[in-house]
Amino acid sequence: MTNTKLYIEGGRKISGEIRVHGAKNSALPILAATLLNPSVSVIENCPALSDVYASCRILSSLGCRCRRVGDAVEIDASDLSGCEISEQMMRQMRSSIVFLGAILGRLRRCRLSFPGGCELGPRPIDIHISGLTKLGARIIEDHGVLDCALPETVSGAVINLPLPSVGATENIMLAAVIGSGETVIQNAAREPEIVDLSGYLNACGAKIAGAGTSTVVITGVKALHGAKYRVMPDRIVAATYMGAAAVTGGELILRDVRAQDMHSTISVFEQAGCSVYPYNDRIFISAKKPLNAIKTLRTAPYPGFPTDCQPIVMALLTRAKGASVIVENIFENRFRAAPELRRLGADIKAEGRVAVIEGGKRLSGAAVVATDLRAGAALVLAGLSADGTTTVSNVHYIDRGYEQLESALTGLGARVRRG
Ligand code: UD1
């Protein structure tokens, strides 16, 4: 993997208008779900991201035909044959685990290794496994390889998740959708991406009710058919561009967004002193006033403040005068941006789940390393507001979740180049 860098000349306001691309966290489970039906699906607004291409490679390795047509990915799963994903492919990204439920749902057998991409801490899959087991799956683990089988007929179950895991909710939905009984997921994750997955599956003939609430009810159907489906906008990417405007004192119109999915994030930008006006599929943000510190910001499952936006807001709070406190409740390693932000001059103390940011210090450019996707985005934002040039390395992390971030920001007035 080449270590491409982003070179950011800070101090320029981010202003203008930008379209937000489709959601990675929605596209990935939907792509996995396309193999549940033996025909063609067209997934529109499917972002051109390295994680999306990694998913397409997995689908191809299983016998599906994938091709990109404009902003869509077309998947023909009629010749699906393989039920095994190589260790090398599983290691490429954590979300490959969502293929487990989909392959089991279609072929009733699946063999894969534990997923990679664990830069945010251990990220276990015990809830996925216990949920699928309650559904009737037999799962044997041997030297990091999971050998799984699901009975021909899933006759339903009541599965109470110990915590509302997004991935586990998705995996159970995927495995339960073809069957004869009713599966009830209690304490299900309520993220908008779960609603999007159920939207695609229902378009294929599935019977899923309650997605977006804590109780998801899946009534098994005999088979699914292909469908055309449009992926929802990426709410984390939207928040990142809002952060870029906020940290540079700019003004931005975001197009193709869904403000109703972003209440907690919008409220945090407002607390930080930005003016935010959502209307229809647009959000206008203006950051003309100095930023405010935020007394305590806690990440939580949806509809709470998303953990993925936490590093972005951390970058923002380095510019807000006074002390802000962030409590990270979802992933233990989500403060990995903090030491790198310190290299730029930020005053951040992070210990365990709590980070304290003494904001208002001048940031100045330095060489920093993206340690994961959102930490990388946070460093880019800090670089935009720092004096001089910031060099962010490990850009491959950023490419997992942002379509050509440097071109997007350049179009909004920034000086960012890849090299
Ligand atoms: C998804 C998102 C990720 C986001 C996260 C939380 C995708 C591709 N990724 O990740 O961007 O940050 O939701 O909103 O959609 N846990 C267990 N056991 C399990 C599963 C999870 O203990 O079997 C724990 C995790 O360690 C974590 C918490 O549950 O502390 C939430 O994880 P989960 O909701 O499963 O996140 P992902 O689906 O991995």
Side-chain angles (χ1 to χ4, degrees):
M1 200 170 290
T2 54
N3 193 356
T4 311
K5 297 184 173 75
L6 290 181
Y7 297 87
I8 305 155
E9 271 179 52
R12 297 168 69 89
K13 281 194 192 341
I14 293 297
S15 293
E17 189 170 324
I18 185 152
R19 177 187 174 269
V20 173
H21 61 67
K24 169 179 86 74
N25 287 353
S26 194
L28 301 183
I30 289 176
L31 285 171
T34 61
L35 61 72
L36 275 166
N37 69 77
S39 48
V40 178
S41 288
V42 179
I43 308 306
E44 296 175 333
N45 201 28
C46 195
L49 303 170
S50 58
D51 272 9
V52 164
Y53 293 120
S55 292
C56 290
R57 282 196 296 278
I58 292 178
L59 286 166
S60 302
S61 77
L62 298 170
C64 302
R65 281 185 295 275
C66 303
R67 64 182 187 124
R68 184 168 272 283
V69 186
D71 83 343
V73 173
E74 200 180 277
I75 302 99
D76 180 350
S78 49
D79 290 335
L80 181 86
S81 48
C83 66
E84 187 164 344
I85 303 180
S86 73
E87 185 186 344
Q88 180 248 337
M89 284 181 165
M90 286 302 291
R91 278 191 187 282
Q92 276 176 17
M93 59 175 181
R94 151 97 187 163
S95 41
S96 51
I97 191 64
V98 85
F99 277 92
L100 172 56
I103 298 174
L104 275 181
R106 170 91 182 266
L107 299 174
R108 313 324 254 190
R109 277 296 305 267
C110 181
R111 227 176 112 82
L112 41 72
S113 58
F114 274 89
C118 292
E119 60 278 355
L120 298 178
R123 297 184 84 168
I125 54 167
D126 53 312
I127 302 172
H128 300 237
I129 291 175
S130 66
L132 293 171
T133 305
K134 284 206 184 96
L135 203 61
R138 182 188 50 78
I139 302 179
I140 299 167
E141 195 232 308
D142 186 21
H143 291 87
V145 175
L146 295 170
D147 201 335
C148 315
L150 192 67
E152 271 313 312
T153 317
V154 169
S155 48
V158 176
I159 301 168
N160 196 335
L161 302 185
L163 54 89
S165 156
V166 174
T169 304
E170 292 168 344
N171 250 333
I172 297 165
M173 283 164 69
L174 291 165
V177 81
I178 297 173
S180 59
E182 188 178 271
T183 300
V184 181
I185 311 175
Q186 293 170 341
N187 197 25
R190 290 183 280 165
E191 268 69 1
E193 291 77 11
I194 302 279
V195 182
D196 222 25
L197 175 62
S198 103
Y200 165 71
L201 288 168
N202 285 346
C204 295
K207 284 195 184 150
I208 302 174
T213 74
S214 298
T215 308
V216 177
V217 180
I218 305 135
T219 307
V221 294
K222 275 211 172 78
L224 298 180
H225 52 77
K228 189 189 263 194
Y229 192 78
R230 189 168 179 80
V231 171
M232 63 175 274
D234 197 310
R235 57 198 173 101
I236 314 299
V237 169
T240 307
Y241 291 134
M242 289 170 72
V247 82
T248 59
E251 270 185 349
L252 204 56
I253 296 171
L254 306 172
R255 272 191 291 123
D256 288 3
V257 285
R258 279 204 328 223
Q260 73 265 30
D261 295 336
M262 297 180 61
H263 283 306
S264 59
T265 306
I266 289 174
S267 149
V268 165
F269 277 94
E270 286 172 336
Q271 287 172 55
C274 302
S275 304
V276 186
Y277 306 96
Y279 55 97
N280 299 329
D281 61 349
R282 288 169 189 230
I283 295 175
F284 172 69
I285 177 164
S286 170
K288 293 290 170 205
K289 289 183 287 184
L291 295 174
N292 304 327
I294 295 181
K295 219 170 157 189
T296 315
L297 174 61
R298 292 185 170 82
T299 63
Y302 191 85
F305 180 74
T307 174
D308 300 68
C309 290
Q310 178 267 106
I312 290 155
V313 169
M314 177 181 272
L316 195 75
L317 293 174
T318 65
R319 307 317 313 267
K321 222 174 165 47
S324 299
V325 176
I326 298 181
V327 183
E328 171 56 57
N329 289 313
I330 310 292
F331 289 117
E332 52 198 72
N333 278 3
R334 260 247 153 93
F335 286 141
R336 293 179 76 185
E340 300 299 313
L341 288 169
R342 276 203 291 269
R343 283 173 182 266
L344 300 175
D347 180 348
I348 305 175
K349 288 179 192 66
E351 209 181 305
R353 294 187 172 275
V354 180
V356 179
I357 301 129
E358 286 290 345
K361 311 273 185 302
R362 271 195 100 75
L363 301 186
S364 52
V368 289
V369 182
T371 49
D372 61 67
L373 165 57
R374 305 304 169 189
L379 294 172
V380 171
L381 297 199
L384 291 173
S385 78
D387 298 331
T389 304
T390 297
T391 311
V392 181
S393 53
N394 276 356
V395 176
H396 60 91
Y397 280 123
I398 297 175
D399 292 338
R400 297 178 81 147
Y402 297 88
E403 263 183 19
Q404 295 177 4
L405 185 60
E406 72 279 15
S407 321
L409 292 172
T410 303
L412 298 173
R415 281 221 179 110
V416 185
R417 74 177 170 83
R418 185 181 283 253

